């Protein structure tokens, strides 16, 4: 792997979705510090951020066109926008399920489609942010896990079809303590202690590193994260067992007492 040199990003034109979020704002700041020209896209507008909802094709088309015009082209697209809402995998798909798929899968797909002509012109790169949960599934995050696994598959298809002219990288962060988990935590379904936490700074460093040098296909944000993803890919039953044992331990410690969703699963598994 080539070492990252800050000078390689000077003048690079970058569009970042989810730019108002914790990871997005930190990534934009670090890219700017390294000399890149960055415009964000987010539901919440702000300085350096164009307001647009990635679930609206019309809004995305306008926002991407505006960003490309202001930047004078586009070298790098980072698809970071995402949401995570708790669900019961056995219940009929709700509006929350549809919204999760729209934001996490169809959002990157739509933004990339409108950005693609400019990226092809610059022979640029697309960086899609999936999740370690694309492979290591946890309870109550069915739509999130499905959307991130699908995002990885779509990234592979994009690379197959356009990889002769653009770079396509999929990044797999682990659990990072950010507001994306607020809904799950409010429902008594925090991922804390169920999966290992990774620092936000590790994700930002990885995303910035992926913006220059050799284009890499699949990237974890830490070495331990890479090991965990490898285990989940090749020994999925073992990883499932570890997650269930952790859930059993947390249930016995009364971590899920206020979550009806978790209580129903605990009853099904006979955890006492």
């Amino acid at each position: 792997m080539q070492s990252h040199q800050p000078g390689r990003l000077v003048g690079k034109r970058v569009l970042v979705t989810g730019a108002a979020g914790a990871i997005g704002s930190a990534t934009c700041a670090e890219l700017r510090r390294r000399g890149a020209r960055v415009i964000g896209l987010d539901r919440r507008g702000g300085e350096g951020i164009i307001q647009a909802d990635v679930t609206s094709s019309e809004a995305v088309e306008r926002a991407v066109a505006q960003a490309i015009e202001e930047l004078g082209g586009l070298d790098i697209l980072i698809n970071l926008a995402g949401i995570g809402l708790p669900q019961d995998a056995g219940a009929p798909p709700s509006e929350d399920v549809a919204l999760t798929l729209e934001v996490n899968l169809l959002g990157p797909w739509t933004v990339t489609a409108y950005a693609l002509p400019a990226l092809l012109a610059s022979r640029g790169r697309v960086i899609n942010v999936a999740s370690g949960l694309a492979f290591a599934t946890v309870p109550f995050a069915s739509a999130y896990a499905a959307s991130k696994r699908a995002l990885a598959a779509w990234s592979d298809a994009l690379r197959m079809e356009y990889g002769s002219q653009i770079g396509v990288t999929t990044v797999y962060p682990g659990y990072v303590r950010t507001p994306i988990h607020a809904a799950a935590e409010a429902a008594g379904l925090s991922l804390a202690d169920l999966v290992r936490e990774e620092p936000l700074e590790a994700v930002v460093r990885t995303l910035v590193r992926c913006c220059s040098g050799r284009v890499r296909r699949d990237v974890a944000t830490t070495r331990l994260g890479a090991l965990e993803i490898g285990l989940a890919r090749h020994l999925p039953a073992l990883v499932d067992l570890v997650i269930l044992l952790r859930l059993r331990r947390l249930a016995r410690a009364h971590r899920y007492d206020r979550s009806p969703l978790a209580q129903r699963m605990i009853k099904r598994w006979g955890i006492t």
Side-chain angles (χ1 to χ4, degrees):
M1 182 181 69
Q2 299 180 14
S3 62
H4 175 77
Q5 298 177 11
R8 292 180 179 178
L9 286 174
V10 172
K12 290 293 185 181
R13 302 160 295 181
V14 187
L15 176 62
V16 180
T17 72
I23 298 174
S25 58
T27 300
C28 289
E30 181 61 16
L31 287 168
R32 291 185 180 113
R33 190 184 73 80
R34 293 174 179 264
R37 298 169 55 208
V38 183
I39 289 181
L41 187 153
D42 200 284
R43 287 184 305 166
R44 294 173 290 164
E47 185 175 355
I49 300 176
I50 299 171
Q51 184 174 10
D53 189 329
V54 297
T55 66
S56 168
S57 182
E58 295 80 7
V60 168
E61 183 178 16
R62 289 193 300 269
V64 170
Q66 179 182 339
I68 291 171
E69 182 178 2
E70 292 181 11
L71 290 169
L74 188 64
D75 298 299
I76 302 164
L77 168 63
I78 303 177
N79 284 308
L80 246 174
I83 60 171
L85 304 169
Q87 293 98 19
D88 181 339
S94 65
E95 292 182 0
D96 284 352
V97 171
L99 180 61
T100 301
L101 294 172
E102 287 177 3
V103 174
N104 295 358
L105 172 61
L106 299 183
W109 195 329
T110 303
V111 175
T112 302
Y114 288 121
L116 194 56
L119 291 167
L120 291 171
S122 67
R123 300 189 73 86
R125 59 183 74 192
V126 178
I127 300 168
N128 291 318
V129 181
S131 168
L133 296 188
F135 303 108
T137 306
V138 297
F140 323 123
S142 50
Y144 182 84
S147 69
K148 292 300 187 178
R149 189 174 296 188
L151 177 62
W154 172 73
S155 294
D156 292 344
L158 183 68
R159 184 184 304 105
M160 181 65 70
E161 296 181 32
Y162 290 91
S164 62
Q165 294 175 278
I166 61 171
V168 181
T169 298
T170 310
V171 178
Y172 299 90
Y175 167 62
V176 180
R177 198 181 295 270
T178 69
I180 194 174
H181 301 290
E185 291 169 355
L189 296 169
S190 172
L191 287 178
D193 299 322
L194 185 61
V195 295
R196 184 181 56 82
E197 183 176 351
E198 291 189 343
L200 183 148
E201 294 78 11
V203 181
V204 173
R205 283 196 303 268
T206 300
L207 291 174
V208 171
R209 188 168 65 249
C210 289
C211 287
S212 64
R214 175 172 59 87
V215 175
R216 295 183 294 167
R217 180 188 178 102
D218 297 296
V219 184
T221 51
T222 64
R223 290 181 180 178
L224 189 53
L227 175 62
E228 291 169 341
I229 290 171
L231 286 172
R233 278 176 159 172
H234 299 293
L235 296 170
L238 175 61
V239 174
D240 288 351
L241 178 60
V242 170
I243 293 294
L244 287 170
L245 288 174
R246 288 179 181 172
L247 185 136
R248 183 185 298 270
R249 174 175 55 82
L250 293 171
R252 288 173 173 169
H254 305 287
R255 275 282 298 275
Y256 300 117
D257 284 2
R258 64 185 184 89
S259 169
L261 185 60
Q263 287 298 314
R264 290 194 293 270
M265 177 180 172
I266 289 167
K267 183 178 180 180
R268 286 194 297 271
W269 282 89
I271 298 173
T272 56

